[in-house]
Amino acid sequence: MSKITSYQEDLIEALKDPIEAAAYINAAIEDGDREVFLLALRNVAQAHGGMSTVAEKAHLNRESLYKMLSKKGNPEIKSIFNILHAIGLRLTVEPELC
């Protein structure tokens, strides 16, 4: 009998792969919705050891990280850079092709 997993469990497992995580976050950025982007960062953080681990690597307080990535969160760009670095990713800008 095969084990049935939830969508969230499968997503978190897939996001352990840095290529998948980068594509997932890029899709969230392209969506243009702040809440979608913050949810994507929360999911990727969970895949990379959870909020405590990511907060420690990003030199942030765990509670602050939870607040930053909440639906009403408003992290500063420096914090986003630190979070991305902690999960092995970086933010880049590319020209928009018409």
Side-chain angles (χ1 to χ4, degrees), residues 7-71:
Y7 168 78
Q8 186 70 15
E9 290 170 335
D10 290 341
L11 175 63
I12 298 306
E13 187 61 34
L15 293 176
K16 290 178 182 178
D17 177 345
I19 294 171
E20 290 290 329
Y24 182 70
I25 290 177
N26 281 329
I29 290 170
E30 288 177 17
D31 184 83
D33 185 321
R34 180 184 53 82
E35 287 183 29
V36 171
F37 174 67
L38 295 175
L39 173 61
L41 278 179
R42 282 195 310 268
N43 286 332
V44 174
Q46 186 176 354
H48 287 86
M51 294 296 214
S52 295
T53 300
V54 171
E56 184 178 326
K57 288 180 180 179
H59 307 288
L60 298 168
N61 178 293
R62 183 178 55 87
E63 289 80 18
S64 295
L65 182 59
Y66 274 110
K67 286 180 185 178
M68 275 187 256
L69 300 183
S70 72
K71 285 184 178 185

